[in-house]
Amino acid sequence: VQDVATSQAPGCGGDEGSQEHWKEEICRILQEIQAPLSPFLLRLCHWMLPKLLSCLFLSVQLPQGQLDMVLRAARKPKVPLVFLCTHQSQLDGPLLSFLLLSQGIGVPRVTGGTWISPRLRSLLQCLGGIFLPSGMAQTRRDQAERLPGAVLDAYVQDVLQSRQPLVIFLEDAPGSLRLSDPARLWLLRVLRALQDRAVPDVLVIPVGIAYDVAP
C-alpha cells in the first residue's frame, strides 16, 4: 500500500502533510470495504433469522455428511476457508452467516453486491458483510495497480491470515449464470494472496443453495 501511495505522488513520500493525506484516504477506503462487527446486531439477527425462516419455509435442510467435512476442514491449522457460492436470493448471505456461526466455524466475511443501498450496506457491514471500494467494479484492469486495489489486496490477505471464513458469491444478480465482475475481483485477491505466499494454502468449498420458492 505504501509503494502504491508513493508512486501516485512521486517526490512527496516523506512530506508529513502528504503522509497524513494518504492515511486518511486509506482509512476511507477501508471504511468502504468493512466495518467493525456488532455483537449486539449479530445476536439480534441470529435470534430473528430462525423465526423468519420458519415463517417462509417448512424447513431448512443441510446435508449432515457435507457439514461434517466442512467442520473437519475448519480444524486444519493455518489454512483459511473460502466458500464459493451460487446466488439465489438476498437471503443467502444472512443464511450462510447464521449456519457457519451456529456450527462454531465463526463469523464469515461475506462479499456483498453492488446494488445495495447505503443504509443496508452499513447494516450488513456490522454483520460481517464486505464490499468493493467505490468504482472498482467499473475499472477492472487499471484499478488493481491503484490505491483501492492495493488496500483491498492487503485487506483480503489479513482476512485469510487471521483464518476468518470468506464467502464469495459468484453471481451478482440472483439466478444469473455468469461469473460477475465483483466476484472476479474478489477471486483475484485470493489468488494474489497465494502467489505472494501470504497464506500457505486455502481450502475452497463450493456451496449450492436452492429454494423450493425463492424468497
Side-chain angles (χ1 to χ4, degrees):
V1 173
Q2 270 187 323
D3 291 343
V4 173
T6 303
S7 68
Q8 287 191 225
C12 300
D15 181 72
E16 185 175 339
S18 177
Q19 288 182 356
E20 191 64 29
H21 165 73
W22 289 117
K23 285 180 182 178
E24 292 176 1
E25 183 67 13
I26 290 165
C27 288
R28 183 193 65 79
I29 295 169
L30 278 173
Q31 288 173 357
E32 288 187 342
I33 297 173
Q34 61 108 49
L37 295 174
S38 169
F40 170 75
L41 286 177
L42 282 168
R43 287 194 297 268
L44 180 63
C45 179
H46 291 163
W47 174 76
M48 292 179 58
L49 192 59
K51 301 180 185 300
L52 174 64
L53 293 174
S54 65
C55 294
L56 293 175
F57 307 109
L58 293 176
S59 65
V60 176
Q61 298 179 1
L62 186 66
Q64 188 61 43
Q66 296 178 15
L67 177 60
D68 291 341
M69 292 174 62
V70 173
L71 292 175
R72 287 198 299 271
R75 291 193 290 267
K76 192 170 182 180
K78 298 182 180 180
V79 179
L81 303 180
V82 177
F83 295 85
L84 303 184
C85 310
T86 58
H87 200 10
Q88 300 297 322
S89 86
Q90 306 307 339
L91 191 61
D92 296 348
L95 177 60
L96 270 175
S97 179
F98 168 73
L99 289 174
L100 295 177
L101 184 59
S102 66
Q103 296 300 318
I105 295 176
V107 180
R109 289 296 183 173
V110 182
T111 60
T114 56
W115 59 271
I116 295 176
S117 66
R119 288 185 179 181
L120 182 57
R121 178 175 176 143
S122 298
L123 174 63
L124 292 177
Q125 282 180 323
C126 293
L127 298 173
I130 55 176
F131 299 86
L132 293 173
S134 56
M136 276 202 67
Q138 287 74 36
T139 54
R140 282 188 296 174
R141 293 188 179 180
D142 61 339
Q143 188 76 23
E145 302 306 322
R146 303 210 307 234
L147 191 60
V151 174
L152 188 63
D153 281 337
Y155 175 77
V156 170
Q157 288 186 13
D158 186 67
V159 168
L160 296 176
Q161 287 172 345
S162 60
R163 297 190 68 241
Q164 298 177 66
L166 178 62
V167 176
I168 299 175
F169 287 108
L170 300 179
E171 303 130 346
D172 202 2
S176 173
L177 296 179
R178 60 181 291 273
L179 185 66
S180 68
D181 289 342
R184 291 178 192 273
L185 290 170
W186 288 112
L187 291 170
L188 177 62
R189 267 65 210 179
V190 175
L191 180 61
R192 283 183 176 169
L194 286 169
Q195 291 174 336
D196 294 342
R197 299 188 178 182
V199 288
D201 199 1
V202 297
L203 286 171
V204 176
I205 301 174
V207 178
I209 301 176
Y211 300 93
D212 289 337
V213 178

